């Protein structure tokens, strides 16, 4: 997958809303909530509408044409 950057996390899992901010894909929690609710965020190429979705190492999040992999 071209254009994927790895973003290390401290724990085994991270919530989707938190990861979007950590990966610099989005500026704020409010923006993350709106983007996720609107179906603009993909996790492993599938639309994800749950902000609390737990991500694990290897999951790929796509937003605004950018990809970030949980490291």
């Amino acid at each position: 997958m071209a254009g994927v950057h790895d973003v290390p996390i401290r724990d085994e899992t991270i919530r989707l809303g938190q990861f979007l901010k950590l990966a610099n894909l989005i500026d704020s929690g409010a923006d993350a909530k709106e983007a996720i609710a609107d179906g603009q965020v993909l996790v492993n190429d599938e639309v994800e509408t749950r902000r609390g979705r737990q991500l694990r190492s290897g999951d790929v999040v796509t937003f605004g044409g950018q990809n970030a992999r949980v490291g």
Side-chain angles (χ1 to χ4, degrees):
M1 182 178 295
V4 177
H5 67 278
D6 289 310
V7 179
I9 60 172
R10 285 182 306 213
D11 302 310
E12 285 188 25
T13 63
I14 187 170
R15 289 195 302 275
L16 177 57
Q18 291 176 312
F19 184 76
L20 284 167
K21 290 186 292 180
L22 180 66
N24 295 316
L25 295 178
I26 212 152
D27 292 328
S28 72
D31 290 343
K33 181 179 181 179
E34 188 174 315
I36 293 166
D38 287 348
Q40 299 176 30
V41 178
L42 303 178
V43 176
N44 300 327
D45 294 323
E46 293 184 8
V47 172
E48 180 56 72
T49 56
R50 297 171 295 161
R51 186 170 45 150
R53 159 81 185 259
Q54 294 290 317
L55 303 176
R56 290 180 165 67
S57 183
D59 285 339
V60 176
V61 175
T62 304
F63 175 72
Q66 294 184 288
N67 300 304
R69 182 174 28 235
V70 180

